[in-house]
């Protein structure tokens, strides 16, 4: 049974991607990881309404504590022994300029945005290394250019881009393809924290990013790994 693990499926890009994938035949089962169990269960319910043939299971996991990931992954592999895809979509931000950014906030941002994806990739690679698979890491255009006032977030996303680039080469021997996407301005709750005065109707929607992610995890996609794919609405 082919299985896809998704973080951040409670809302935003993660939820939009989970719903879009549930309408495809790429995977038979889905594992949703996140802190808000009720919101994940709501996403799972919507996925089942879209396709009653898929199996969806939610696991409560606070990504700010990546040291718990190996235990959760052991639970997952007891139920799903064929992990084929990992989507690291969850993210966190606390936009502050340098002089007001605390070490605690900086570390928390990295635990969610960098350390948790690293741990999930490591544990999923243990499952994928004998049969291959796909990993998609969601970074941000904030990780590509200077973003004054967003130091912890921007630098964490730059780390995701670099990590994806390195792992593309390192995991190739296992037949694991690593993709990185960097959305621009997108109407998510995270974006509201970065730009609270922005009208979300005027910028890219989560469903547009989800469409690209779905294309990357399609069984037919073989050529776009190893790149930082920018997703941006230009008009």
């Amino acid at each position: 049974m082919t299985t896809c693990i998704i973080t951040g499926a409670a809302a935003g890009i993660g939820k939009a991607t989970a719903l879009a994938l549930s309408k495809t035949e790429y995977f038979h089962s889905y594992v949703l990881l996140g802190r808000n169990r009720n919101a994940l269960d709501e996403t799972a319910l919507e996925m089942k309404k879209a396709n009653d043939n898929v199996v969806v299971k939610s696991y409560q996991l606070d990504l700010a504590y990546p040291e718990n990931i190996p235990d959760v992954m052991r639970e997952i592999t007891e139920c799903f022994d064929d992990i084929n895809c990992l989507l690291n979509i969850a993210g966190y931000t606390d936009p502050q300029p340098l002089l007001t950014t605390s070490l605690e906030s900086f570390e928390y941002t990295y635990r969610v945005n960098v350390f948790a994806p690293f741990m999930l990739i490591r544990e999923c690679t243990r499952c994928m290394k004998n049969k291959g698979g796909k990993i998609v890491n969601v970074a941000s255009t904030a990780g590509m250019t200077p973003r004054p006032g967003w130091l912890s977030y921007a630098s964490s996303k730059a780390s995701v881009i670099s990590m994806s680039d390195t792992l593309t080469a390192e995991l190739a021997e296992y037949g694991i393809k690593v993709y990185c996407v960097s959305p621009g301005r997108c109407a998510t709750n995270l974006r509201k924290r970065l730009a609270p005065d922005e009208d979300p109707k005027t910028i890219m929607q989560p469903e547009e990013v989800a469409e690209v992610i779905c294309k990357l995890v399609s069984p037919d996609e073989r050529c776009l790994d190893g790149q930082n794919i920018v997703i941006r609405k230009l008009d």
Side-chain angles (χ1 to χ4, degrees):
M1 180 177 288
T2 55
T3 302
C4 177
I5 297 176
I6 307 174
T7 71
I13 294 171
K15 182 173 183 177
T17 301
L19 292 177
L21 281 175
S22 68
K23 299 173 185 177
T24 72
E25 297 181 354
Y26 299 164
F27 307 101
H28 295 104
S29 56
Y30 295 87
V31 173
L32 310 183
L33 301 179
R35 184 173 55 182
N36 189 332
R37 181 63 179 271
N38 291 335
L40 290 178
D41 288 344
E42 178 59 33
T43 298
L45 182 61
E46 292 183 43
M47 293 172 70
K48 291 289 291 181
K49 287 181 179 178
N51 182 356
D52 59 8
N53 291 322
V54 299
V55 175
V56 188
K57 188 168 183 178
S58 303
Y59 289 83
Q60 191 165 26
L61 174 66
D62 189 341
L63 295 176
Y65 300 93
E67 59 270 22
N68 295 331
I69 287 174
D71 289 338
V72 174
M73 282 299 301
R74 277 190 286 271
E75 290 183 43
I76 292 170
T77 53
E78 287 177 2
C79 295
F80 306 95
D81 58 1
D82 196 10
I83 307 300
N84 308 92
C85 184
L86 168 65
L87 306 182
N88 282 312
I89 302 178
Y92 173 80
T93 186
D94 179 21
Q96 298 287 341
L98 173 64
L99 295 181
T100 59
T101 297
S102 67
L103 177 60
E104 292 77 15
S105 174
F106 204 94
E107 180 181 6
Y108 190 96
T109 302
Y110 267 68
R111 290 176 74 84
V112 175
N113 293 356
V114 182
F115 301 163
F118 153 69
M119 289 293 286
L120 283 165
I121 291 169
R122 192 188 73 179
E123 297 306 307
C124 284
T125 295
R126 299 187 197 280
C127 301
M128 295 180 184
K129 66 178 184 178
N130 293 324
K131 55 188 177 299
K134 291 192 174 187
I135 297 169
V136 178
N137 298 319
V138 175
S140 169
T141 53
M144 301 165 55
T145 57
R147 298 297 172 97
W150 299 5
L151 178 62
S152 60
Y153 178 73
S155 62
S156 74
K157 291 303 185 179
S159 295
V160 172
I161 294 170
S162 178
M163 179 168 62
S164 301
D165 191 25
T166 297
L167 290 176
T168 294
E170 182 171 334
L171 301 185
E173 66 174 295
Y174 301 130
I176 298 173
K177 290 187 172 293
V178 181
Y179 300 85
C180 183
V181 298
S182 288
R185 298 181 301 158
C186 185
T188 63
N189 291 334
L190 185 148
R191 178 67 190 180
K192 288 179 183 178
R193 298 191 67 184
L194 292 169
D197 298 328
E198 187 175 58
D199 182 357
K201 295 179 181 178
T202 64
I203 59 178
M204 184 168 60
Q205 299 301 303
E207 291 76 14
E208 294 175 285
V209 180
E211 182 179 354
V212 175
I213 296 174
C214 287
K215 290 179 180 178
L216 296 179
V217 301
S218 163
D220 298 328
E221 163 42 43
R222 292 287 184 269
C223 303
L224 294 175
D225 55 309
Q227 305 179 51
N228 178 31
I229 301 169
V230 175
I231 310 171
R232 181 183 286 129
K233 186 174 181 179
L234 297 179
D235 57 345

